[in-house]
PDB file of all heavy atoms in Angstrom:
ATOM      1  N   HIS A1414      13.573  -3.516  -5.887  1.00  0.00           N
ATOM      2  CA  HIS A1414      14.138  -2.549  -5.009  1.00  0.00           C
ATOM      3  C   HIS A1414      15.034  -1.585  -5.768  1.00  0.00           C
ATOM      4  O   HIS A1414      15.590  -1.967  -6.825  1.00  0.00           O
ATOM      5  CB  HIS A1414      14.865  -3.174  -3.823  1.00  0.00           C
ATOM      6  CG  HIS A1414      16.072  -3.995  -4.189  1.00  0.00           C
ATOM      7  ND1 HIS A1414      17.312  -3.405  -4.375  1.00  0.00           N
ATOM      8  CD2 HIS A1414      16.192  -5.305  -4.443  1.00  0.00           C
ATOM      9  CE1 HIS A1414      18.209  -4.385  -4.645  1.00  0.00           C
ATOM     10  NE2 HIS A1414      17.541  -5.548  -4.742  1.00  0.00           N
ATOM     11  N   TYR A1415      15.052  -0.298  -5.301  1.00  0.00           N
ATOM     12  CA  TYR A1415      15.933   0.666  -5.923  1.00  0.00           C
ATOM     13  C   TYR A1415      16.141   1.813  -4.869  1.00  0.00           C
ATOM     14  O   TYR A1415      15.348   1.966  -3.932  1.00  0.00           O
ATOM     15  CB  TYR A1415      15.326   1.155  -7.229  1.00  0.00           C
ATOM     16  CG  TYR A1415      13.889   1.643  -7.209  1.00  0.00           C
ATOM     17  CD1 TYR A1415      13.480   2.875  -6.700  1.00  0.00           C
ATOM     18  CD2 TYR A1415      12.872   0.836  -7.698  1.00  0.00           C
ATOM     19  CE1 TYR A1415      12.139   3.269  -6.717  1.00  0.00           C
ATOM     20  CE2 TYR A1415      11.532   1.248  -7.752  1.00  0.00           C
ATOM     21  CZ  TYR A1415      11.197   2.437  -7.282  1.00  0.00           C
ATOM     22  OH  TYR A1415       9.926   2.836  -7.236  1.00  0.00           O
ATOM     23  N   PHE A1416      17.223   2.573  -5.123  1.00  0.00           N
ATOM     24  CA  PHE A1416      17.471   3.788  -4.292  1.00  0.00           C
ATOM     25  C   PHE A1416      16.632   4.923  -4.640  1.00  0.00           C
ATOM     26  O   PHE A1416      16.305   5.098  -5.874  1.00  0.00           O
ATOM     27  CB  PHE A1416      18.948   4.179  -4.525  1.00  0.00           C
ATOM     28  CG  PHE A1416      20.000   3.316  -3.852  1.00  0.00           C
ATOM     29  CD1 PHE A1416      20.642   2.317  -4.581  1.00  0.00           C
ATOM     30  CD2 PHE A1416      20.334   3.485  -2.534  1.00  0.00           C
ATOM     31  CE1 PHE A1416      21.558   1.576  -4.049  1.00  0.00           C
ATOM     32  CE2 PHE A1416      21.314   2.649  -1.941  1.00  0.00           C
ATOM     33  CZ  PHE A1416      21.932   1.717  -2.730  1.00  0.00           C
ATOM     34  N   ILE A1417      16.241   5.707  -3.616  1.00  0.00           N
ATOM     35  CA  ILE A1417      15.511   6.990  -3.878  1.00  0.00           C
ATOM     36  C   ILE A1417      16.123   8.084  -2.985  1.00  0.00           C
ATOM     37  O   ILE A1417      17.030   7.739  -2.197  1.00  0.00           O
ATOM     38  CB  ILE A1417      14.025   6.814  -3.618  1.00  0.00           C
ATOM     39  CG1 ILE A1417      13.755   6.358  -2.172  1.00  0.00           C
ATOM     40  CG2 ILE A1417      13.360   5.973  -4.598  1.00  0.00           C
ATOM     41  CD1 ILE A1417      12.286   6.336  -1.752  1.00  0.00           C
ATOM     42  N   ARG A1418      15.667   9.293  -3.077  1.00  0.00           N
ATOM     43  CA  ARG A1418      16.082  10.469  -2.281  1.00  0.00           C
ATOM     44  C   ARG A1418      17.626  10.462  -2.173  1.00  0.00           C
ATOM     45  O   ARG A1418      18.264  10.337  -1.120  1.00  0.00           O
ATOM     46  CB  ARG A1418      15.471  10.357  -0.903  1.00  0.00           C
ATOM     47  CG  ARG A1418      15.668  11.713  -0.107  1.00  0.00           C
ATOM     48  CD  ARG A1418      14.776  11.767   1.055  1.00  0.00           C
ATOM     49  NE  ARG A1418      13.360  12.114   0.707  1.00  0.00           N
ATOM     50  CZ  ARG A1418      12.306  11.997   1.546  1.00  0.00           C
ATOM     51  NH1 ARG A1418      12.471  11.569   2.794  1.00  0.00           N
ATOM     52  NH2 ARG A1418      11.109  12.280   1.141  1.00  0.00           N
ATOM     53  N   GLY A1419      18.180  10.770  -3.331  1.00  0.00           N
ATOM     54  CA  GLY A1419      19.696  10.947  -3.373  1.00  0.00           C
ATOM     55  C   GLY A1419      20.451   9.732  -2.777  1.00  0.00           C
ATOM     56  O   GLY A1419      21.529   9.942  -2.194  1.00  0.00           O
ATOM     57  N   ARG A1420      19.903   8.563  -2.967  1.00  0.00           N
ATOM     58  CA  ARG A1420      20.550   7.294  -2.472  1.00  0.00           C
ATOM     59  C   ARG A1420      20.554   7.160  -1.032  1.00  0.00           C
ATOM     60  O   ARG A1420      21.245   6.302  -0.429  1.00  0.00           O
ATOM     61  CB  ARG A1420      21.960   7.105  -3.013  1.00  0.00           C
ATOM     62  CG  ARG A1420      22.089   7.202  -4.479  1.00  0.00           C
ATOM     63  CD  ARG A1420      23.451   6.912  -4.852  1.00  0.00           C
ATOM     64  NE  ARG A1420      23.733   7.207  -6.262  1.00  0.00           N
ATOM     65  CZ  ARG A1420      24.910   7.049  -6.912  1.00  0.00           C
ATOM     66  NH1 ARG A1420      25.935   6.595  -6.248  1.00  0.00           N
ATOM     67  NH2 ARG A1420      25.061   7.435  -8.154  1.00  0.00           N
ATOM     68  N   LYS A1421      19.729   7.989  -0.268  1.00  0.00           N
ATOM     69  CA  LYS A1421      19.692   7.862   1.187  1.00  0.00           C
ATOM     70  C   LYS A1421      18.744   6.718   1.634  1.00  0.00           C
ATOM     71  O   LYS A1421      18.841   6.256   2.717  1.00  0.00           O
ATOM     72  CB  LYS A1421      19.196   9.205   1.762  1.00  0.00           C
ATOM     73  CG  LYS A1421      20.280  10.297   1.635  1.00  0.00           C
ATOM     74  CD  LYS A1421      19.818  11.478   2.529  1.00  0.00           C
ATOM     75  CE  LYS A1421      20.710  12.690   2.315  1.00  0.00           C
ATOM     76  NZ  LYS A1421      20.536  13.335   0.945  1.00  0.00           N
ATOM     77  N   LEU A1422      17.808   6.407   0.765  1.00  0.00           N
ATOM     78  CA  LEU A1422      16.786   5.424   1.090  1.00  0.00           C
ATOM     79  C   LEU A1422      16.744   4.359   0.010  1.00  0.00           C
ATOM     80  O   LEU A1422      17.008   4.618  -1.168  1.00  0.00           O
ATOM     81  CB  LEU A1422      15.405   6.047   1.242  1.00  0.00           C
ATOM     82  CG  LEU A1422      15.167   7.137   2.248  1.00  0.00           C
ATOM     83  CD1 LEU A1422      13.848   7.804   2.059  1.00  0.00           C
ATOM     84  CD2 LEU A1422      15.257   6.501   3.654  1.00  0.00           C
ATOM     85  N   VAL A1423      16.437   3.126   0.475  1.00  0.00           N
ATOM     86  CA  VAL A1423      16.165   2.048  -0.491  1.00  0.00           C
ATOM     87  C   VAL A1423      14.648   1.751  -0.369  1.00  0.00           C
ATOM     88  O   VAL A1423      14.094   1.509   0.690  1.00  0.00           O
ATOM     89  CB  VAL A1423      16.943   0.777  -0.134  1.00  0.00           C
ATOM     90  CG1 VAL A1423      16.551  -0.373  -1.072  1.00  0.00           C
ATOM     91  CG2 VAL A1423      18.457   1.007  -0.311  1.00  0.00           C
ATOM     92  N   ASN A1424      14.014   1.824  -1.588  1.00  0.00           N
ATOM     93  CA  ASN A1424      12.530   1.513  -1.649  1.00  0.00           C
ATOM     94  C   ASN A1424      12.313   0.088  -2.016  1.00  0.00           C
ATOM     95  O   ASN A1424      13.076  -0.431  -2.892  1.00  0.00           O
ATOM     96  CB  ASN A1424      11.926   2.455  -2.677  1.00  0.00           C
ATOM     97  CG  ASN A1424      10.501   2.083  -3.022  1.00  0.00           C
ATOM     98  OD1 ASN A1424       9.620   2.390  -2.211  1.00  0.00           O
ATOM     99  ND2 ASN A1424      10.238   1.457  -4.170  1.00  0.00           N
ATOM    100  N   PHE A1425      11.462  -0.656  -1.417  1.00  0.00           N
ATOM    101  CA  PHE A1425      11.111  -1.926  -1.937  1.00  0.00           C
ATOM    102  C   PHE A1425       9.613  -2.174  -2.155  1.00  0.00           C
ATOM    103  O   PHE A1425       8.819  -1.544  -1.422  1.00  0.00           O
ATOM    104  CB  PHE A1425      11.711  -3.112  -1.173  1.00  0.00           C
ATOM    105  CG  PHE A1425      11.096  -3.442   0.183  1.00  0.00           C
ATOM    106  CD1 PHE A1425       9.918  -4.109   0.203  1.00  0.00           C
ATOM    107  CD2 PHE A1425      11.767  -3.132   1.321  1.00  0.00           C
ATOM    108  CE1 PHE A1425       9.349  -4.496   1.472  1.00  0.00           C
ATOM    109  CE2 PHE A1425      11.298  -3.501   2.556  1.00  0.00           C
ATOM    110  CZ  PHE A1425      10.007  -4.164   2.600  1.00  0.00           C
ATOM    111  N   VAL A1426       9.288  -2.899  -3.124  1.00  0.00           N
ATOM    112  CA  VAL A1426       7.869  -3.381  -3.321  1.00  0.00           C
ATOM    113  C   VAL A1426       7.994  -4.922  -3.479  1.00  0.00           C
ATOM    114  O   VAL A1426       8.668  -5.463  -4.293  1.00  0.00           O
ATOM    115  CB  VAL A1426       7.318  -2.815  -4.638  1.00  0.00           C
ATOM    116  CG1 VAL A1426       5.835  -3.232  -4.791  1.00  0.00           C
ATOM    117  CG2 VAL A1426       7.460  -1.322  -4.761  1.00  0.00           C
ATOM    118  N   ALA A1427       7.229  -5.606  -2.589  1.00  0.00           N
ATOM    119  CA  ALA A1427       7.269  -7.079  -2.555  1.00  0.00           C
ATOM    120  C   ALA A1427       5.802  -7.527  -2.928  1.00  0.00           C
ATOM    121  O   ALA A1427       4.889  -7.363  -2.108  1.00  0.00           O
ATOM    122  CB  ALA A1427       7.600  -7.600  -1.171  1.00  0.00           C
ATOM    123  N   VAL A1428       5.703  -8.106  -4.090  1.00  0.00           N
ATOM    124  CA  VAL A1428       4.361  -8.421  -4.624  1.00  0.00           C
ATOM    125  C   VAL A1428       4.085  -9.929  -4.460  1.00  0.00           C
ATOM    126  O   VAL A1428       4.908 -10.751  -4.806  1.00  0.00           O
ATOM    127  CB  VAL A1428       4.228  -8.011  -6.066  1.00  0.00           C
ATOM    128  CG1 VAL A1428       2.812  -8.453  -6.614  1.00  0.00           C
ATOM    129  CG2 VAL A1428       4.370  -6.486  -6.232  1.00  0.00           C
ATOM    130  N   VAL A1429       2.956 -10.274  -3.862  1.00  0.00           N
ATOM    131  CA  VAL A1429       2.630 -11.651  -3.557  1.00  0.00           C
ATOM    132  C   VAL A1429       1.151 -11.968  -4.086  1.00  0.00           C
ATOM    133  O   VAL A1429       0.286 -11.140  -3.927  1.00  0.00           O
ATOM    134  CB  VAL A1429       2.559 -11.883  -2.018  1.00  0.00           C
ATOM    135  CG1 VAL A1429       2.317 -13.313  -1.677  1.00  0.00           C
ATOM    136  CG2 VAL A1429       3.852 -11.429  -1.430  1.00  0.00           C
TER     137      VAL A1429
END
Side-chain angles (χ1 to χ4, degrees):
H1414 64 87
Y1415 50 80
F1416 285 95
I1417 56 174
R1418 191 165 284 167
R1420 304 187 191 177
K1421 292 191 184 71
L1422 298 171
V1423 172
N1424 171 74
F1425 76 73
V1426 184
V1428 176
V1429 183

